[in-house]
Amino acid sequence: MTRAMSAVLVAVVSAAASAFGQQIDVSTLPPREAVQLTIYNSEDLTLVRERRTVTVAKGQNELQFSWANTLIDPTSVEIEFPGSKGGSLDVIDTRYPFDRPQALYWNVRSDFDGEALVEISYFTSGITWNADYVGVTSDDEASMTFDGYVTISNNSGADYSDAQVRMVVGTVNLVEAIRDLANRHGSGQVEAGEGGAQFDALRRAIDRKPSGGMPPPPPPPPSGGGAYGYPGPPEIVKEGLSEYFIFTVAGTHDVRNGWANRLRLFEGTKVPVKTVYRYRPMEYGDQLVKLFLVKNDKASTLGDSPLPDGTARLFRRQPTGGLSVIAFVPTKYVPIGQEFEFNLGRDPQVIFERLATRTWRDDFWFKRGDQQKLYSPTKGDRVNDNDTVVGWNDHVARVERIRNYRGAPIDVELRFPIDGDVTFVSSLNPTLFDFQTPDFKTTVGAGARKDLAYEVVSRKGTNATQNAVKLEAAK
């Protein structure tokens, strides 16, 4: 069932005669008939559902569950009886014995003799998944074959054989109490029954069925040679659930403690690639970086679901048929309709310089003694030697110089914030990304140099009236 006495479920069947000293029959339950893992990385929680068939006697029955040497959270353990042909079963009470600190007992009343289906669910930690992607671009970098994988790692202390695997992508809104309980799993700091309501809410939130029941596992994939020890590549089923998605891997898989399984998300998808150079110091540091952009939409043969964050390994296909390494880069979570940004860093064939070509000041205002009136020489006022400068404008003429030594034109985007009360004067057709961030674009031809000239006028002292950038066309 599990590794190293990880999670033991035992049935104690007692007839009414047991009260008079008849020996109680203790038997270990048969193997699981189904098990499902729903892995939620953000909080290191996995919802485990398992089904077994147990033989019960009419009257009172005792079921024992233990979690020794595992990361199962005892506050989250629940038992249900999805249905039986013979009659009904009810849980009378739950006991946590002092002599067995990592075990509980359910007293179950049955109105029939025979077999009953038992479903046990609980949360455990230590099971995680990580996505990675492999991209191979064409030699002109216009397209890319794109493969996605997911690796399931199990360090929970328990083995799960023939498990249906589901992975939550996105954010499930959790209350702080659940996060606190998750951090205290298996630590002995929990009280009996504590956290049941919170875990029940989370169980419903990340389960496919609002009632919390475990759906039947999907049919196994067709037989055939699988690349990673399972019969054929598993299909991923995407379920849209408001702020998050659930990926379900088709078939069942052995998720053993201490092991990692690598499964395929999607295979050989050919996607268009846009190459762009960006200067955005708030995002990429003070440098011009090269990026591959791949949009997560139908036009790019993606877009069925959000794609999880992970790591991408990028290669370029050479005209001779070989591959060369481009970069290994981290990727962020990409919702439907948004873009993968593969940041390749600086390109030695594209030189970027930021130059200040001229600086000057004007529009001075002066204050005389304690008077409130201000004086401006440009307005014809007379200024005395003892007057104090209280306002002025700083002018900086700047050039963003880009030299392209590549054999093809490049698209360049520049976006940077400017603090203060500023006028951005240019003929670059800029827009404002926000109240203090100009944004403009250009194309630099193969082997060409382009100078993007503009002037920044910063109002200082009493001349400043706001903290924002205004755009103005150059005359």
Side-chain angles (χ1 to χ4, degrees):
M1 170 184 172
T2 55
R3 182 178 181 271
M5 294 292 292
S6 57
V8 179
L9 186 61
V10 175
V12 180
V13 182
S14 61
S18 64
F20 299 94
Q22 181 175 328
Q23 184 177 1
I24 298 175
D25 178 25
V26 180
S27 61
T28 301
L29 293 181
R32 298 183 182 105
E33 296 178 0
V35 60
Q36 180 192 78
L37 308 176
T38 303
I39 309 167
Y40 180 49
N41 271 0
S42 297
E43 300 299 329
D44 187 19
L45 287 176
T46 295
L47 173 61
V48 181
R49 293 191 177 279
E50 56 180 65
R51 280 182 176 173
R52 300 172 184 274
T53 298
V54 59
T55 301
V56 297
K58 186 174 182 179
Q60 182 171 323
N61 300 262
E62 192 171 72
L63 297 180
Q64 173 190 321
F65 183 81
S66 69
W67 52 89
N69 303 320
T70 74
L71 299 181
I72 293 173
D73 193 315
T75 67
S76 68
V77 181
E78 284 193 359
I79 187 170
E80 294 178 324
F81 307 101
S84 60
K85 298 179 181 179
S88 62
L89 298 97
D90 298 295
V91 177
I92 302 172
D93 58 39
T94 305
R95 295 184 294 109
Y96 296 82
F98 289 104
D99 57 341
R100 295 199 63 189
Q102 292 183 310
L104 63 81
Y105 292 87
W106 290 295
N107 286 321
V108 178
R109 179 185 293 116
S110 172
D111 62 5
F112 70 98
D113 294 320
E115 292 185 341
L117 188 63
V118 175
E119 180 177 308
I120 296 174
S121 65
Y122 51 85
F123 285 93
T124 187
S125 298
I127 303 178
T128 59
W129 63 270
N130 295 284
D132 68 279
Y133 306 92
V134 176
V136 180
T137 71
S138 56
D139 58 355
D140 61 359
E141 299 181 349
S143 64
M144 174 192 298
T145 58
F146 199 46
D147 297 82
Y149 301 88
V150 62
T151 299
I152 310 296
S153 300
N154 181 8
N155 294 291
S156 68
D159 291 333
Y160 297 97
S161 299
D162 296 324
Q164 181 193 31
V165 178
R166 305 197 304 167
M167 301 161 293
V168 180
V169 179
T171 301
V172 180
N173 294 322
L174 306 177
V175 296
E176 290 298 328
I178 293 178
R179 292 191 180 97
D180 177 63
L181 287 167
N183 291 332
R184 295 158 59 194
H185 61 73
S187 64
Q189 302 176 27
V190 292
E191 300 294 334
E194 181 185 4
Q198 294 95 327
F199 275 116
D200 187 55
L202 178 58
R203 184 181 279 104
R204 292 194 302 270
I206 66 175
D207 198 343
R208 178 189 307 185
K209 299 174 70 175
S211 63
M214 181 174 70
S223 61
Y228 302 101
Y230 51 82
E235 176 191 1
I236 303 297
V237 180
K238 296 92 174 178
E239 305 172 41
L241 300 171
S242 65
E243 297 179 4
Y244 60 97
F245 268 66
I246 293 180
F247 288 71
T248 302
V249 183
T252 60
H253 307 273
D254 291 337
V255 182
R256 299 180 182 179
N257 183 56
W259 285 41
N261 294 2
R262 191 167 185 247
L263 312 175
R264 193 185 293 272
L265 283 173
F266 52 84
E267 178 181 8
T269 303
K270 186 175 182 180
V271 299
V273 177
K274 179 182 178 182
T275 301
V276 66
Y277 291 78
R278 285 177 177 168
Y279 177 72
R280 295 181 183 176
M282 301 300 290
E283 298 179 48
Y284 312 119
D286 190 19
Q287 60 181 339
L288 184 72
V289 298
K290 179 181 179 180
L291 297 105
F292 286 161
L293 305 181
V294 173
K295 198 161 189 180
N296 184 20
D297 62 6
K298 296 290 186 180
S300 299
T301 67
L302 298 171
D304 289 337
S305 69
L307 293 173
D309 58 331
T311 302
R313 292 173 291 166
L314 303 179
F315 305 86
R316 181 184 296 106
R317 190 173 301 283
Q318 301 296 329
T320 58
L323 298 178
S324 61
V325 176
I326 298 176
F328 291 0
V329 294
T331 64
K332 297 180 180 179
Y333 169 74
V334 182
I336 296 175
Q338 295 192 20
E339 291 177 325
F340 272 103
E341 290 187 2
F342 300 115
N343 184 352
L344 310 182
R346 298 178 64 178
D347 185 344
Q349 293 183 289
V350 177
I351 307 302
F352 177 61
E353 298 174 275
R354 309 197 73 206
L355 307 173
T357 59
R358 184 185 172 206
T359 62
W360 70 98
R361 287 177 175 172
D362 62 11
D363 198 13
F364 291 94
W365 289 84
F366 294 82
K367 184 177 181 181
R368 184 170 299 158
D370 295 333
Q371 298 181 23
Q372 296 300 315
K373 182 180 178 180
L374 300 181
Y375 300 87
S376 171
T378 59
K379 303 295 183 182
D381 296 330
R382 184 181 180 86
V383 178
N384 298 330
D385 292 342
N386 294 329
D387 292 346
T388 304
V389 178
V390 292
W392 69 95
N393 291 350
D394 281 341
H395 297 253
V396 181
R398 301 193 62 92
V399 168
E400 310 290 352
R401 177 169 294 166
I402 305 160
R403 288 178 284 172
N404 176 19
Y405 293 103
R406 299 184 66 88
I410 61 172
D411 294 324
V412 181
E413 302 174 358
L414 297 98
R415 177 192 297 170
F416 47 86
I418 307 175
D419 291 330
D421 186 354
V422 170
T423 298
F424 186 87
V425 185
S426 77
S427 56
L428 302 172
N429 297 317
T431 59
L432 283 177
F433 176 72
D434 59 29
F435 69 95
Q436 60 177 183
T437 308
D439 190 331
F440 51 99
K441 305 175 183 179
T442 191
T443 298
V444 183
R449 186 188 90 175
K450 180 169 282 191
D451 286 353
L452 307 177
Y454 58 91
E455 178 187 337
V456 175
V457 182
S458 301
R459 285 167 284 278
K460 304 294 185 179
T462 56
N463 290 15
T465 59
Q466 61 181 353
N467 182 24
V469 174
K470 182 177 71 172
L471 302 179
E472 182 178 303
K475 297 178 182 179

